[in-house]
Amino acid sequence: DKLHDKILEHIEFSKKNNLFEEHRKKQLKKKVINIIKNHFENEFLKKVSDFTDFDAILNDIADGKTNPYKIGKELFEKFLHQ
């Protein structure tokens, strides 16, 4: 009972001081940003795979001809300029 009462006290305090609503808004913001990131990631990978031979890129990285950071930047630039 004491724990339950303390939890209810904390919730009331949070609501009175607008902390509950602020936390809720922060959580919603995170959720929306994650949804946008997922959409962007999926679209990016779909478009990049249309004009990129990943096996050849991976072979070039494995052979030391390039590195993942350089390739990542190049693919991102290609995506932006489509």
Side-chain angles (χ1 to χ4, degrees):
D1 269 345
K2 281 185 176 183
L3 178 61
H4 183 261
D5 291 342
K6 287 293 182 186
I7 291 171
L8 291 178
E9 271 181 45
H10 178 72
I11 291 172
E12 253 334 285
F13 175 82
S14 295
K15 286 181 178 179
K16 282 181 183 176
N17 292 295
N18 213 22
L19 299 175
F20 186 82
E21 188 63 27
E22 286 178 24
H23 178 71
R24 185 174 167 272
K25 285 181 182 179
K26 284 180 184 177
Q27 293 301 105
L28 289 171
K29 181 179 178 180
K30 283 182 186 179
K31 185 172 191 150
V32 170
I33 288 171
N34 281 332
I35 290 168
I36 292 168
K37 283 180 181 179
N38 286 335
H39 284 296
F40 180 78
E41 181 179 338
N42 290 336
E43 188 65 22
F44 173 77
L45 292 174
K46 182 179 146 195
K47 295 225 183 222
V48 168
S49 67
D50 289 345
F51 63 79
T52 303
D53 180 2
F54 279 110
D55 288 334
I57 289 172
L58 294 175
N59 287 335
D60 286 348
I61 293 169
D63 293 341
K65 295 177 183 174
T66 189
N67 64 67
Y69 302 101
K70 182 178 178 186
I71 291 298
K73 185 175 180 177
E74 288 174 4
L75 293 176
F76 185 72
E77 291 296 322
K78 280 184 184 179
F79 175 77
L80 288 179
H81 294 97
Q82 276 195 339

